[in-house]
Amino acid sequence: MNIIELKNVGKSFDDVVVVEDFNLEVKKGEFVTFLGPSGCGKTTTLRMIAGFEIPTEGQITLKGEDISNLPPYERPINTVFQRYALFPHLNIYDNIAFGLKLKTNEVTYKKDNGKIITRKEKLSKKEIDKKVKRALEIVDLEGFEKRSVDTLSGGQQQRIAIARAIVNEPQILLLDEPLGALDLKMRKEMQIELKAMHERLGITFIYVTHDQEEALTMSDKIVVMSDGVIQQIGTPEEIYNEPKNAFVADFIGESNIFNGKVTDKLQVQFCDHTFTCVDDFHIGTKVEVVVRPEDIVMKPKGEGMMDVVVDSVVFKGVHYEITVLSGDNEIVIHSIYNAVVGDTISIDIDPDSIHLIENN
Ligand code: ADP
Ligand code: MG
């Protein structure tokens, strides 16, 4: 079942279009990520789902009901922002309980005369205690109730912000670059924790990041955006292995992108050489050829498909980044093996690793 749908959603500020014709279906319990460079409209789209912005075009539905004009507090949706924005003067318990203390439940009574009445009641202290304790368990910070905000690390504060967002059991949690303020090591740890938390809670997550690795690691579905327009929607594998256009290929992971031409059935020419490929296009079609640096294999001179000259070698920790030249064409290779600048070597590319995108 789709929990949220965006249909032809658009947003303009003073005639400047920042989100255009945005169509998306999100299933209940899914982990969906909006991925794209800064300024492409990720936050604006998230704010429309949260209700902080009203779309200028299209419709947002929650379980089939139009919520486009509903204020944020009437939507079963919570947001975690990049800056955790905890209340510094409140302890952890009060930070998490803040929203719960304002919350009311509809309670139904049967009076002596048989009449049924409903009225709104605040949550009891006991109920609030229980929910706060459970939220702290979920973010793995049991026993932190009495601590003050300034005694917590950045990562712990962000976990409290998440505890606060999940304590009233929203159906959807929106997270806008929630790990952006953390250092690399903490960010990696929190990625794993957030993913585990998503699986434990069963809540639908819509996550925003400009970090492609983060998106690939965490998501069930990625929405790649550029200039307010969706470029591709797919699983991490689809986005990585079958990018729909050069923008996606370039933005997701590193890619060699060459101009090429289909010269025969399953034959493509690029870098002054003809390769066998698996994408079937009409002969004569002009294409962009995408090859991942890790899919190029180095061989001794004369033993591969084409000879190239090693132009530079940079050690990157897990691999060497080796740039080779074939005439004027630069080709980047990632390899666990080293190479010597100035040497002539040979390279092989498996047909499966040559991805063609038709040039429009
Ligand atoms: P992202 O989150 O992908 O970095 P945003 O959604 O924040 O992008 O912004 C997309 C574009 O919309 C940017 O060009 C930004 O300047 C513009 N924008 C965002 N909010 C407003 C606003 N309230 N008024 C005018 N322009 C805005
Ligand atoms: Mg943003």
Side-chain angles (χ1 to χ4, degrees):
M1 184 188 71
N2 291 333
I3 186 158
I4 278 264
E5 282 182 31
L6 285 81
K7 292 178 197 154
N8 310 109
V9 167
K11 179 74 186 175
S12 306
F13 294 106
D14 302 326
D15 292 342
V16 179
V17 179
V18 300
V19 176
E20 205 178 341
D21 198 24
F22 197 102
N23 287 285
L24 177 69
E25 297 180 349
V26 179
K27 290 198 186 67
K28 188 173 181 297
E30 230 177 354
F31 194 127
V32 176
T33 299
F34 296 169
L35 172 67
S38 178
C40 73
K42 305 181 295 295
T43 295
T44 304
T45 308
L46 210 66
R47 287 171 60 81
M48 288 192 280
I49 298 172
F52 298 118
E53 301 283 357
I54 303 298
T56 38
E57 307 278 341
Q59 206 184 41
I60 300 175
T61 59
L62 178 86
K63 294 181 181 163
E65 272 189 51
D66 189 352
I67 58 160
S68 313
N69 294 297
L70 222 54
Y73 56 86
E74 286 184 19
R75 304 183 185 201
I77 298 174
N78 280 342
T79 312
V80 179
F81 299 99
Q82 174 167 0
R83 309 216 169 275
Y84 2 95
L86 299 177
F87 303 115
H89 58 287
L90 298 182
N91 69 18
I92 298 309
Y93 180 94
D94 289 330
N95 260 287
I96 298 175
F98 189 81
L100 290 179
K101 288 180 179 168
L102 304 173
K103 197 178 159 172
T104 52
N105 274 347
E106 292 222 327
V107 185
T108 307
Y109 292 97
K110 194 169 180 186
K111 287 176 81 175
D112 289 344
N113 61 9
K115 222 174 151 186
I116 293 184
I117 57 162
T118 58
R119 67 170 200 223
K120 292 195 168 172
E121 278 190 1
K122 294 217 156 157
L123 299 187
S124 70
K125 166 112 178 50
K126 209 171 140 197
E127 278 173 295
I128 293 177
D129 282 354
K130 205 172 128 197
K131 285 179 190 285
V132 170
K133 191 157 181 277
R134 175 80 188 118
L136 281 170
E137 276 168 19
I138 288 167
V139 297
D140 229 353
L141 289 175
E142 294 103 322
F144 272 60
E145 285 90 338
K146 294 218 169 72
R147 295 275 290 268
S148 70
V149 170
D150 58 14
T151 65
L152 268 54
S153 71
Q156 288 171 332
Q157 289 190 30
Q158 189 58 307
R159 271 143 69 183
I160 296 300
I162 292 163
R164 192 175 61 183
I166 58 177
V167 74
N168 62 356
E169 295 155 32
Q171 294 179 33
I172 301 172
L173 190 62
L174 309 178
L175 302 111
D176 193 353
E177 313 235 10
L179 310 182
L182 305 179
D183 64 44
L184 183 66
K185 186 162 173 285
M186 178 58 81
R187 204 155 71 223
K188 297 259 178 229
E189 280 173 28
M190 283 292 293
Q191 285 172 7
I192 295 165
E193 282 190 32
L194 267 179
K195 181 86 186 137
M197 211 185 290
H198 168 255
E199 264 143 44
R200 276 204 301 276
L201 285 168
I203 295 177
T204 308
F205 276 36
I206 304 182
Y207 193 94
V208 161
T209 183
H210 63 269
D211 180 339
Q212 42 103 3
E213 200 188 321
E214 188 162 294
L216 291 172
T217 314
M218 301 177 80
S219 324
D220 297 321
K221 187 149 102 187
I222 299 176
V223 180
V224 185
M225 298 172 65
S226 157
D227 285 336
V229 177
I230 295 178
Q231 301 295 321
Q232 187 169 357
I233 300 178
T235 63
E237 290 82 3
E238 283 165 353
I239 298 278
Y240 191 86
N241 294 325
E242 293 153 50
K244 268 199 178 151
N245 56 41
F247 175 84
V248 178
D250 204 29
F251 194 74
I252 312 295
E254 284 175 66
S255 288
N256 292 285
I257 300 176
F258 308 107
N259 287 318
K261 190 176 165 186
V262 176
T263 51
D264 206 341
K265 193 163 171 62
L266 305 182
Q267 297 288 304
V268 61
Q269 191 178 57
F270 59 95
C271 296
D272 311 316
H273 199 86
T274 303
F275 294 83
T276 302
C277 58
V278 292
D279 293 335
D280 201 0
F281 285 99
H282 284 299
I283 294 166
T285 307
K286 293 217 164 96
V287 288
E288 281 174 304
V289 183
V290 179
V291 184
R292 299 282 182 194
E294 64 271 24
D295 290 335
I296 301 174
V297 180
M298 299 192 296
K299 297 240 165 119
K301 182 180 174 183
E303 290 183 20
M305 294 167 174
M306 70 192 267
D307 282 355
V308 292
V309 178
V310 178
D311 190 51
S312 71
V313 178
V314 182
F315 181 58
K316 293 277 186 178
V318 282
H319 60 250
Y320 292 94
E321 183 178 280
I322 299 163
T323 306
V324 298
L325 295 175
S326 156
D328 289 340
N329 300 293
E330 267 191 12
I331 304 168
V332 178
I333 303 170
H334 291 172
S335 172
I336 56 168
Y337 301 109
N338 203 348
V340 178
V341 174
D343 271 6
T344 298
I345 60 168
S346 195
I347 59 170
D348 263 356
I349 309 173
D350 192 81
D352 278 329
S353 305
I354 297 174
H355 184 61
L356 306 188
I357 298 166
E358 192 167 350
N359 247 343
N360 298 311

